[in-house]
Amino acid sequence: MGIRVAVAGASGYAGGELLRLLAGHPDLEIGAVTAGTSAGKPITAIHPNLTGHPAFDGRDFQPTDLGTLGNAELIFMALPHGESAALARELPDSRIVDLSADFRLADEDAWNRFYGVPYAGRWAYGLPELPGARQAIKTARTAAAPGCYATAAILALAPLLGAGLVSPADIVIVAASGTSGAGRSPRPDLLGSEVMGSMSAYQAGGTHRHTPEIEQTLCTERSVVPRSGQVTLSFTPTLAPMARGILATCTARLASADAAARLRDTLTAAYRGEPFVHVLAEGRWPGTGATLGSNAAHLQVAADTHAGRAIVICALDNLGKGAAAQAIQIANLMLGLPETAGLTAHGVAP
């Protein structure tokens, strides 16, 4: 028998991906599987891709409450923003990995500007590839999994900022996401007839909720950025006609004339030996399809010397390294398991 884990909010896309990955995890046993409005419905009716697995066949979603979740050794919370904090208060002694934004931000004012529900505090930030983050995650009982856009942007930019190669005051990020990033709740703008054959921007002008998370993490997390300046960025998200994936184009002004020649070596050195983050060979550019279904992030860097800017491209699966797979990576560290257990860096292609 493995370590018993529970999934709260398992009827959504991230929750369903958690179940799929946990079903193949060698050291974890699936305990309670809960939902909100889908409680009482068969798990495989909501997630038909799980049909045939003994952990799910003939089993219904349970209600999300203390009595259902309390016996797990670790709980994954894949709940809407604002709901995880309320549930966590009922489980004060539990080991938890939260996939929502409820515990990501240290700045209460930033939280209030972007979320509009009561601030709940901050947990250990679950991006293991940041300097010093692994040890902090290993010793934490509660951890906040980063947002999908935030994961891509931070992985792309943190090493260059930390090395002083780019200016923290002039960062521009334009990122495309698949429709699963918006969740499973029905919306007219996510209908197939609206999305197919079309790309669209949304929440432009600094209004997307991942903006303060990216700025905070690049500026203060593990002292990634030198004290010489605060991070200021412009982030424009776009919706792409695909179910899952993120392609983030991150640019920043070069800090000096010789910085361009050091970009690739700096990025490569930062992720040397990392099991899931890979800097591609020169001339190869990241694509979302190569990371589909995995915990991988693919990076490439270039210098636009004409514009005086560094360009870093990051591709990842928003439900993988951007959500469920990264949550399992965090849980592995918290539970003292091999970090890569139950995960793959190899995507499903074509």
Side-chain angles (χ1 to χ4, degrees):
M1 301 291 285
I3 300 170
R4 181 176 287 265
V5 299
V7 180
S11 59
Y13 289 132
E17 185 70 353
L18 272 169
L19 295 181
R20 184 183 75 84
L21 294 171
L22 290 171
H25 198 292
D27 302 305
L28 301 181
E29 174 191 349
I30 301 171
V33 177
T34 79
T37 58
S38 293
K41 295 179 181 179
I43 294 173
T44 54
I46 304 296
H47 301 302
N49 59 311
L50 302 179
T51 298
H53 194 283
F56 309 121
D57 277 349
R59 187 174 175 187
D60 297 340
F61 290 106
Q62 299 167 269
T64 301
D65 56 40
L66 175 61
T68 304
L69 298 167
N71 292 328
E73 294 183 59
L74 182 141
I75 302 167
F76 294 96
M77 292 186 179
L79 299 166
H81 302 314
E83 294 186 16
S84 289
L87 182 60
R89 284 194 291 271
E90 299 181 22
L91 299 160
D93 300 319
S94 296
R95 189 178 277 118
I96 300 170
V97 178
D98 181 34
L99 281 72
S100 81
D102 285 16
F103 299 100
R104 293 174 188 161
L105 296 186
D107 186 339
E108 184 173 355
D109 290 336
W111 172 267
N112 291 334
R113 288 196 307 273
F114 282 86
Y115 289 93
V117 295
Y119 180 66
R122 189 191 187 199
W123 289 354
Y125 193 67
L127 190 54
E129 292 80 10
L130 286 175
R134 279 190 174 87
Q135 187 57 38
I137 294 168
K138 287 179 180 179
T139 59
R141 288 194 63 82
T142 55
C148 50
Y149 283 125
T151 296
I154 294 163
L155 290 174
L157 293 168
L160 305 188
L161 284 162
L165 299 182
V166 296
S167 168
D170 185 6
I171 295 172
V172 178
I173 301 166
V174 178
S177 173
T179 56
S180 61
R184 195 162 199 160
S185 298
R187 284 171 29 188
D189 60 323
L190 298 178
L191 292 171
S193 56
E194 301 291 335
V195 174
M196 289 187 298
S198 176
M199 280 192 67
S200 58
Y202 67 101
Q203 294 181 19
T207 62
H208 193 279
R209 290 171 168 179
H210 287 184
T211 301
E213 180 184 349
I214 299 168
E215 289 187 337
Q216 164 190 279
T217 307
L218 290 177
C219 190
T220 63
E221 185 72 21
R222 320 292 174 215
S223 299
V224 166
V225 179
R227 295 173 182 259
S228 58
Q230 294 295 305
V231 169
T232 303
L233 64 87
S234 172
F235 172 41
T236 302
T238 64
L239 187 67
M242 58 186 182
R244 53 200 288 177
I246 282 181
L247 186 69
T249 301
C250 309
T251 80
R253 185 163 299 282
L254 293 167
S256 64
D258 66 344
R262 298 167 54 198
L263 297 177
R264 182 172 182 81
D265 287 347
T266 298
L267 201 65
T268 301
Y271 298 120
R272 184 174 290 118
E274 287 292 346
F276 299 117
V277 181
H278 304 293
V279 180
L280 302 184
E282 290 192 71
R284 289 178 52 201
W285 294 96
T288 58
T291 65
L292 181 67
S294 78
N295 195 42
H298 288 180
L299 296 166
Q300 186 57 279
V301 63
D304 184 341
T305 54
H306 174 70
R309 301 189 72 83
I311 296 95
V312 190
I313 312 295
C314 180
L316 54 79
D317 185 341
N318 62 293
L319 296 180
K321 184 62 173 167
Q326 181 149 261
I328 291 175
Q329 183 183 359
I330 296 165
N332 286 341
L333 290 168
M334 293 172 66
L335 294 168
L337 301 174
E339 185 174 342
T340 59
L343 300 170
T344 180
H346 310 300
V348 178

